[in-house]
Structures are given as C-alpha cells and as structure tokens.
Amino acid sequence: MASPPNFQLPVLPALEAPTVHVADAERSFRVTFTASAPPMALSPTSISMALKSPEGIDCHGNERQVLGEQAKFFNNPLLSDVILVVGGERFYAHKLILVRSSDVFERMFSSEWSDSQTKEVELVEDSLCNSVFPRFLKFLYGCHIKLNIDSTLPVLILADKYNVEDLRNVCINFACSYIIPKLQLKDVFHVWFQYATKCYHVRLIAECVQVLAEKMDDITSSVEWQREWVNLEKEQLIQFLQNSDLNIKDEFDLWLAAVKWLQSTGHPQRAANFEDNLKEIMQFIRFPMMTSEQLCQVESHTVFQQHPELFQKAFMLAYKYHALPLVKRANVKEFMSSSFLLRNYSNLRWDKRFVVSQYSACPKGAEVSFRFSTRASSFPPQTWEWELKVHPKGYSTNSDDFRVVLNSNVILDQPRPIEYHLSVVDRNQILHSVCGKKNFSKARYQTDTEMDKKVSVADLCQTDSPLLVNDNLILQIALKPVE
C-alpha cells in the first residue's frame, strides 16, 4: 500500500527534559443550557422551558475518564480491525480511532486509497520515528503523551505527516517552552529552525528566531556562521530581517549582511534573480534607522549604483526623516511603518528600544526602570546617561494613569536642551507617539512624557490588547539636542 511522503529527520543532541501530561483538568458532571437567550439572561422560566423542550438540556459526563478508558484499547487485539506494521513491529489498532484523529488515516482507509478490508497495513516511517510511533499511536487513543528532547521532533513529524493538529500543538508548545531555550544555537538553527520553516510552523519559527536574534551580530558577521548565513533560503532570511528583536550593531551592518547573502557565490539561481531578490529584501531593511553618513555609504555601494531606481523611494523617505526635528516626526503618517521601528542596536545612538515583559503580571503601582546611554552633542565625544521610568498600571495604587517619565541621570553643570519622541509600537508599526522639548538642569532633571494622554491602563489591560505583543509592552524613544 502507498504511504504518505516521508520527512527527513535531523538528529537532536541529548539533554534531560521534563515530561508533560497532556490532559484537561478533572471535570465533574456539567450542564450546558441551549436556550436561545445568552447565558447571563437565563431565568428560572427559561430553565423551565428548556426542561420541557423537545431538545432538552445538554449534559456532559467525565470526558477525562472516557479518554482514560478508551486508552485501554491501545495496542489491544480486542475489537481491533486493523494491524499497523511500523519498523517491523505490529500494533493492534481500531480504524474508528485512527479516522477520528487523522484525515490522512481517513483517506488511507477509504476505498479511494486502498482495499478497506485489508487487515494489515505497513507504514513506512523514518527510523527515529519508528521508535516513537507507540507514543504517537497511544496519544490518538488517550490524548496523553510523554515528551523529552529526543522524542519531541520525531513525534511532531508524525503529527505533521498524519495531520493530528492537537498533537502538533502539544509538540510545538513543549519545544518552545522546554527545548529550544536550552539548546546550542547551532542546534536551534540546523534542527528546529530548518524544520519549522520547511513546514511553516509560525510559532516555532518565531521562537527559533527569538533565540537566534540574541546573537545576531555573530550570525551575520563571524566566520563560524558564514556558511549558514549565505545558505539561508530567501524566506528564512526574511524571517530575520523583519524581526525587531535582533541584537545587531546597527542597521547598516544588517544591510551589509543582506548584501553578502545577495552576492554569495555558489547560488546560480539567486544570481539570476538578483534584481527581484533585492527588491523583495529591501522592504525589510530599515533605511531611516541608518545615519545620514551610512546612507551615503549605501549610495556609493555597487548594488545601489547598478539599481538606483529601486532605492529612490526608500531613500527619499529616510532623508526626510532625518531632516525633520523629533517634535515634527510624530505627526507624519509616513513615519509609522515598520521601517521606523528600532531594533536592539548596540552602537551608541540617539535612540533606544525597551520591552516591558509580561505586562499582565505587573502589579498595580509598580515602576519599571530602564537605564540607557545616548550620544551627546559635546566635543570631545561623550555619552549622556538617562533613565526611563515606566508605570505600566498606574503611578500608584490609587492611580490608573499609564505614566512614562524621562530622567536625566547625571548632575548637570549647565542646562541641557533636549527634544524627545516616545512611541508605543508593535511588530509592524508605531501605534502611538508623544513628543516635546525639555531644558534639563540641576533643578529640573525629569519630565513627564504625557504618554497617558495617548495610552490608558484600560487600553493595555483589555483582553488581547493591540498595544501588547505577546503580553509585552514595547517602547522606543529618540533624544536629540535642540538645534
């Protein structure tokens, strides 16, 4: 009999990991009302009517107990109507269970695929998948599985192959929580990132990129990572370029890394489609985040010289961004897109990105502080020290105002006239901005940014708030001397 296509399975390194029991909390008998009125509107009269109605009231037993009893039929010859042969091992199975769990099994046991009366079916799996097939099959019976670092990917491959969505989600959640954060970066890149992009598992891709983003400087510029970088598929490269969490020296370095990928030898197809690749990749390079000097360096590069028309629109917008004072930028709608989002740049700049993690866990009245440095306007060059104080859920236990305060963190010998531009952002755009000017001095060393006029605690605390990214509040600020 034909079998679904095989997946290529990379080898994972050994590492201890906890086991996971996948099952709902214990449930007792429960009743669900099916009256037409919303649940909150049910009255004794509605209940009485539902009791007398022909349809009646939905009543549920203990589902977990049912699953536990069903699990007893795993590899049990009792009432078995099919035998699965995997890697030479035979498993008693029940078509009803297989078909209920997987549309692939449904097609396999349909008349279109094969003789539905066939008693024994051989499944051809990867050798490492063979060893975890009993776990996979048992999950179909009892919705329960034990996972570790060695078994998770093979089980995920089986879940993908047979399209068992529930098990797929279990494996991905387990990998993101327990495996990927503990692996060496090379293993994350070669094993999990490659498989995630091949099967387009969005959450798994995001988790891999998040881990790799912490060492983006090494990945884009070190000899150790050169082969991996230039051999990325275009879609994999874009996964990195569109991410704001990259720890990178500056945007110009990321541009040079993208050019290295574009011009790499040994990829004839890439060279043949150079212009199309350049056009697509340029969308994810944040030219406004480069300095004016760096923009000039890009203009002198051979890639720019050969395709100037592709850069024209992006560069006009970048130069416009640099030409305007900070207090004017907040009112320009063109400056709201992802091209104007900061990454985690390590070079000393006029701006900085901050993340308030796990917003929902922040207590009322708490303060989250970020100390950072910017360039100064003095000569010889020196740094200016700052502190951004964020009150995510109110300035005090009695206050419901979202507040962000900017402090000058050094004793000033002379007044420091500054303009600021503070924004709340998500993955794709700037959501809200405030700007202003302040003359910092010994007596006036802080300013309230008045972000509470644009963002409220109620906005942030609402379910699935659009102001948060995975329960994180992301801020970015730009500071410059007043000219």
Side-chain angles (χ1 to χ4, degrees):
M1 172 184 296
S3 182
N6 291 323
F7 287 89
Q8 194 69 25
L9 179 64
V11 179
L12 282 167
L15 182 68
E16 291 297 323
T19 61
V20 165
H21 294 258
V22 182
D24 294 332
E26 190 72 27
R27 293 193 185 115
S28 57
F29 175 83
R30 74 175 192 270
V31 175
T32 304
F33 295 104
T34 57
S36 58
M40 294 300 292
L42 284 175
S43 64
T45 303
S46 301
I47 296 174
S48 178
M49 292 175 62
L51 284 168
K52 296 176 182 178
S53 70
E55 294 81 8
I57 297 173
D58 286 326
C59 301
H60 297 268
N62 191 321
E63 290 125 327
R64 185 171 182 179
Q65 181 181 344
V66 172
L67 284 172
E69 292 173 352
Q70 181 176 281
K72 297 175 184 177
F73 286 89
F74 163 70
N75 203 18
N76 189 332
L78 181 63
L79 300 179
S80 170
D81 53 0
V82 65
I83 296 174
L84 302 179
V85 182
V86 180
E89 191 172 355
R90 301 166 81 248
F91 300 92
Y92 293 100
H94 305 77
K95 290 181 182 179
L96 179 63
I97 300 296
L98 301 178
V99 169
R100 185 208 64 189
S101 306
S102 162
D103 56 2
V104 177
F105 278 126
E106 182 179 2
R107 292 194 301 273
M108 185 181 297
F109 295 121
S110 69
S111 57
E112 291 83 0
W113 185 286
S114 66
D115 181 3
S116 60
Q117 300 304 314
T118 302
K119 181 69 176 178
E120 195 166 289
V121 177
E122 182 174 4
L123 302 178
V124 180
E125 312 295 350
D126 186 279
S127 58
L128 289 180
C129 288
N130 287 344
S131 64
V132 300
F133 191 84
R135 301 188 192 204
F136 165 76
L137 186 59
K138 191 172 184 179
F139 182 89
L140 305 187
Y141 281 79
C143 197
H144 164 266
I145 194 168
K146 289 186 176 181
L147 295 172
N148 59 29
I149 197 166
D150 295 316
S151 63
T152 304
L153 186 56
V155 171
L156 176 58
I157 290 173
L158 289 172
D160 283 333
K161 180 176 179 179
Y162 294 101
N163 197 26
V164 183
E165 184 175 358
D166 193 21
L167 182 55
R168 178 190 295 125
N169 292 335
V170 168
C171 292
I172 290 175
N173 290 339
F174 185 85
C176 291
S177 299
Y178 296 104
I179 297 178
I180 293 172
K182 300 182 188 312
L183 290 178
Q184 296 292 323
L185 287 186
K186 289 275 187 173
D187 294 322
V188 173
F189 181 88
H190 286 291
V191 178
W192 288 96
F193 181 63
Q194 298 300 323
Y195 184 78
T197 51
K198 177 181 179 180
C199 297
Y200 198 66
H201 291 315
V202 175
R203 189 190 168 196
L204 201 52
I205 293 171
E207 187 65 28
C208 292
V209 170
Q210 198 70 20
V211 170
L212 294 166
E214 296 178 12
K215 296 293 183 180
M216 204 61 198
D217 253 340
D218 289 338
I219 293 172
T220 57
S221 58
S222 69
V223 175
E224 180 188 359
W225 282 90
Q226 183 172 346
R227 182 175 63 85
E228 284 86 355
W229 179 256
V230 297
N231 288 333
L232 283 170
E233 297 294 330
K234 182 171 63 176
E235 291 72 20
Q236 293 176 325
L237 175 68
I238 289 172
Q239 290 293 336
F240 287 108
L241 296 183
Q242 64 187 5
N243 190 280
S244 294
D245 292 315
L246 302 185
N247 289 339
I248 191 84
K249 180 182 174 183
D250 53 33
E251 194 70 21
F252 183 69
D253 257 30
L254 192 60
W255 157 252
L256 293 178
V259 170
K260 185 192 302 181
W261 182 90
L262 283 164
Q263 296 180 328
S264 62
T265 58
H267 299 86
Q269 191 64 30
R270 191 181 300 174
N273 298 317
F274 186 90
E275 186 171 337
D276 289 338
N277 290 333
L278 175 61
K279 189 183 302 183
E280 189 167 357
I281 286 170
M282 272 186 51
Q283 301 174 54
F284 304 100
I285 300 296
R286 302 174 185 181
F287 291 108
M289 297 299 102
M290 297 183 189
T291 65
S292 299
E293 293 81 2
Q294 289 171 339
L295 290 172
C296 288
Q297 286 181 268
V298 174
E299 286 184 289
S300 64
H301 197 283
T302 54
V303 171
F304 185 101
Q305 298 292 326
Q306 292 168 0
H307 306 277
E309 69 286 351
L310 299 182
F311 293 83
Q312 186 175 3
K313 184 177 180 180
F315 267 57
M316 286 180 64
L317 196 59
Y319 281 125
K320 180 179 179 180
Y321 180 78
H322 285 287
L324 290 176
L326 297 187
V327 292
K328 297 290 186 182
R329 292 179 185 174
N331 300 319
V332 181
K333 291 184 178 180
E334 292 174 298
F335 298 164
M336 306 291 279
S337 70
S338 59
S339 295
F340 301 89
L341 300 182
L342 292 170
R343 306 187 201 267
N344 295 327
Y345 301 120
S346 58
N347 260 7
L348 189 67
R349 299 166 54 92
W350 297 108
D351 42 34
K352 199 71 177 176
R353 178 177 184 266
F354 311 98
V355 178
V356 179
S357 302
Q358 296 182 316
Y359 179 87
S360 60
C362 292
K364 188 175 175 62
E367 177 183 283
V368 181
S369 296
F370 300 96
R371 292 176 178 267
F372 65 104
S373 303
T374 67
R375 296 169 61 186
S377 60
S378 56
F379 185 84
Q382 61 181 16
T383 61
W384 283 348
E385 304 298 326
W386 304 93
E387 185 174 19
L388 198 69
K389 295 184 176 182
V390 184
H391 303 272
K393 292 185 178 176
Y395 188 65
S396 67
T397 54
N398 300 319
S399 168
D400 288 328
D401 290 334
F402 171 72
R403 191 176 182 191
V404 183
V405 178
L406 177 65
N407 279 31
S408 175
N409 238 21
V410 293
I411 298 175
L412 303 173
D413 296 325
Q414 56 186 3
R416 179 188 295 172
I418 288 292
E419 57 178 348
Y420 65 85
H421 180 194
L422 176 69
S423 303
V424 174
V425 308
D426 64 10
R427 288 193 185 93
N428 304 309
Q429 62 183 331
I430 293 175
L431 301 173
H432 296 287
S433 293
V434 292
C435 56
K437 295 182 181 180
K438 170 74 176 181
N439 198 25
F440 288 88
S441 64
K442 289 182 181 179
R444 301 175 65 195
Y445 58 87
Q446 71 172 219
T447 184
D448 190 331
T449 60
E450 299 187 330
M451 181 57 85
D452 57 295
K453 293 183 178 178
K454 295 291 184 74
V455 176
S456 70
V457 172
D459 294 332
L460 289 163
C461 289
Q462 65 176 293
T463 304
D464 297 325
S465 172
L467 301 179
L468 301 177
V469 178
N470 294 334
D471 199 31
N472 296 329
L473 172 65
I474 305 176
L475 303 167
Q476 62 183 44
I477 192 169
L479 300 168
K480 274 197 173 183
V482 175
E483 297 179 357

